[in-house]
Amino acid sequence: MARPCRGLGGAAIRGLPPDTQGEADEELLDYAAAHPGLMLTGYGTLMAGAYSRTDGPPPERYDHPGPVARLRVPAEVAAECGATVNQVVPAWLMGGAVPGVPVVGVSSVAQLDECLAALDLRQDAVQRARLDTA
């Protein structure tokens, strides 16, 4: 889904080169697909609430044309499914050809319940394709 702008974020803190963010690129996805015993973990999958917040721009590392455009499609799919974006994004991650486990941070039981509802959300092939290519 949304990807950070290269060169921003905490990579240097983790001792990685500045342009390393740890996103799942095609090489990593191909490797994971070839090794079904591995599990991908999606950290920060809800972008600190950026998918559902309307009170400002996304976090700085995501505030560039790519992710801004990618915020629209999950919102459209959520409206079609009668779900929230915070359910659509984890469901998309879990339902991929290479499934991932979303790591979410919540600050209330209501947010936890919202995220857990993603386990039951089904996206049709057209919705899935739109999310995959957003």
Side-chain angles (χ1 to χ4, degrees):
M1 199 76 39
R3 293 173 184 88
C5 182
R6 302 303 250 169
L8 295 176
I13 295 170
R14 295 187 305 270
L16 300 173
D19 285 342
T20 303
Q21 298 294 326
E23 305 90 58
D25 59 14
E26 292 305 314
E27 183 179 4
L28 178 62
L29 293 173
D30 289 346
Y31 185 85
H35 298 84
L38 295 179
M39 179 61 66
L40 293 178
T41 303
Y43 180 76
T45 55
L46 298 179
M47 291 187 349
Y51 284 108
S52 58
R53 294 178 65 179
T54 58
D55 60 346
E60 179 184 4
R61 65 189 293 223
Y62 294 101
D63 195 7
H64 61 95
V68 171
R70 289 184 183 112
L71 294 174
R72 185 186 76 254
V73 175
E76 292 170 356
V77 171
E80 294 164 11
C81 294
T84 68
V85 178
N86 289 342
Q87 295 164 338
V88 167
V89 173
W92 169 79
L93 179 64
M94 292 182 291
V98 178
V101 175
V103 176
V104 297
V106 299
S107 57
S108 71
V109 174
Q111 288 178 341
L112 177 61
D113 289 341
E114 177 186 19
C115 290
L116 288 174
L119 294 167
D120 298 322
L121 183 63
R122 300 293 172 250
Q123 298 156 345
D124 66 33
V126 172
Q127 292 167 331
R128 178 98 211 151
R130 286 172 43 216
L131 291 164
D132 287 345
T133 58

